[in-house]
Amino acid sequence: MVIKKSLIIILLTLSLLNCQLVTRAPQLLQENADIDRDDAIFLLGGQPRTLDPAKTLGGPDGALGHIFSGLVMLDADLQVQPELAAGWEVSDDGLTYTFYLRKNVLFHDGRPFTAQDVIFSWERAANPDTGSDTVQTYLGDIAGIQAVIDGQTEQISGLRAIDDYTLEVQLTAPVVYFLQKLAYPVAFVVDSETVDTRNWEYTPNGTGPFRLRNWEDDEEIILVRNDSYYLEPARVRHVVYDLGPGLALAQYEEGDIDLVGVGGANLDRVEDPNNRLHDQLQLGISLCTSTIGLNTQIAPFDDVRVRQAFNYGLDKELLIDTFSGGDALMATGSLPPGMPGYTNDPGRGYPFNPVKANQLLDEAGYADRSTFPVLTYTTSGYGDVGGYVTAVISLWQETLGITIQPVVIDPFIYYDELYSGNAGNIYQSGWCADYPDPQNFLDILYHSSSRQNIGRYVNFEVDGLLEQARIEENVAARLAQYAEIERRIVADAPVVFVSHSLQAALISPDLDGYVLTPMGVRQWHRVSVDR
């Protein structure tokens, strides 16, 4: 999940489930009398930043991912499956992908889909006027796309429509994860005839399993089944997202909720076999890592010793116990459990060590703490500093004898500010996988040229190793390369590695077919309701 998927704060259990998905079904049903509760799924989500696939920073598991679709998708087992493309061929050198598109695909308004729609969508995403923060990350392997991103041309030279239903894609290198990247929303297809018109996001014309029926800001989003969907139609007619606040667990216990995340004391309660909700509890891993970003290009974090000191100087176990009830694992690196290449090495990383932390600051020239600069800590919110950030600041100030001032930015523009370079000294961050490959963490977050490298970490030796790993076909050799890359990144401490979240969810027995996956995938079209 790109900054979802995607720089999200991942400490509270199941934050990847759209901030505890719930419903206020009775109220919504009164306002939308034609929505049959026996044929609908009700969820709680926040106001979307956007429903534009090119601009979203989230994955395909939300409303956007059910309205639009791409050439491929990831299934509940995180395997690439055909979607708009019925199949494909890859040249022997791994540089040319030929996609054979389905001939029965219609946009929601009935217009036929062709290869030109893919080309239009990808060129639009790459156009600098669109302002996509993810196009380079997920489509940057296509030949000629960088010239479009740089504003030198409007056409991607590596794309060619052989005919209406055959698309040829040329890559700059034989990267082994290209298909997985195409499951991210920036690669989804939009309608050239309606996109970018006034308020088009409120009447989007996609090709996905649901149509957008209604979007009332901060109130609700209603999806209705696309009966002309080219694959198996959705098993429910409506999916309703309540965008307002809700008391998730209480409503679940009242029987009006289809799914809710639990953690801390609530998790302890429902883990009791005698609790009536125990049989509805599902547990799992989450391909997420919570970090605290450090701006490596300005003092004092341009000094690796200072970055290491801030890693040693934070009691991460205390944070996990306090803010996630212990329902997380302390991170010793970037890769989370369940990700290929993850190594549970207790000897690696930065355990809480105040003596070591202060020694490193002394060695960096700050033995007199009065000479240490006042730092800024950038976080998102609506005026008040959250408890987690307050705790982190307090712990660092107490342990290191330094001063940190919080800077709170409206959540709607938070990542815009980070991408614009306004991260300050320290910034709240985190990452959830968009596809199950270590490249999705190590390359995207730490290559010096990556858009998602917000702290501007630079190590040209790491860059070279990352570029080699991109094209290594031998799985064992590739994972060994990533192990060495991660070791070097951890030693450089470009961020503070905090935790890997675990998942716990109460899932209504009324839902059939829902899978608690390690990362967000589109699946509401495969879920049925039996109330």
Side-chain angles (χ1 to χ4, degrees), residues 144-156:
I145 199 168
Q146 191 61 49
V148 180
I149 294 172
D150 293 338
Q152 300 172 1
T153 182
E154 295 182 352
Q155 284 78 45
I156 300 174

Side-chain angles (χ1 to χ4, degrees), residues 105-114 117 190-193 205:
V105 177
L106 300 175
F107 283 90
H108 293 161
D109 68 353
R111 185 174 72 82
F113 155 81
T114 69
D117 292 305
V190 296
D191 175 24
S192 61
E193 297 180 6
N205 192 28

Side-chain angles (χ1 to χ4, degrees), residues 388-512:
Y388 175 74
V389 172
T390 299
V392 171
I393 291 175
S394 298
L395 288 170
W396 267 332
Q397 290 185 152
E398 180 180 346
T399 300
L400 303 176
I402 47 92
T403 300
I404 303 174
Q405 297 178 344
V407 176
V408 183
I409 298 177
D410 188 298
F412 255 66
I413 63 172
Y414 179 67
Y415 293 112
D416 294 330
E417 290 294 307
L418 294 189
Y419 280 123
S420 298
N422 299 323
N425 300 111
I426 305 169
Y427 56 94
Q428 195 58 48
S429 64
W431 190 262
C432 286
D434 296 309
Y435 47 92
D437 190 285
Q439 186 271 348
N440 187 226
F441 276 81
L442 302 178
D443 204 327
I444 286 178
L445 297 179
Y446 302 111
H447 192 286
S448 62
S449 67
S450 174
R451 176 75 168 155
Q452 275 65 43
N453 182 358
I454 293 174
R456 296 182 291 172
Y457 164 68
V458 177
N459 183 322
F460 293 121
E461 291 184 356
V462 168
D463 284 354
L465 293 173
L466 287 168
E467 290 158 12
Q468 293 174 26
R470 293 172 185 172
I471 59 176
E472 176 58 61
E473 295 184 0
N474 182 279
V475 174
R478 189 164 177 265
L479 293 181
Q481 288 175 327
Y482 280 124
E484 172 61 18
I485 291 167
E486 187 175 32
R487 185 192 67 78
R488 296 191 184 205
I489 291 171
V490 170
D492 284 344
V495 301
V496 176
F497 303 100
V498 180
S499 66
H500 305 300
S501 58
L502 303 176
Q503 291 195 73
L506 291 171
I507 300 171
S508 171
D510 295 344
L511 296 185
D512 180 40

Side-chain angles (χ1 to χ4, degrees), residues 186-205:
V186 72
F188 287 3
V189 170
V190 296
D191 175 24
S192 61
E193 297 180 6
T194 60
V195 72
D196 295 326
T197 58
R198 182 176 175 83
N199 293 327
W200 74 269
E201 292 184 48
Y202 290 82
T203 55
N205 192 28

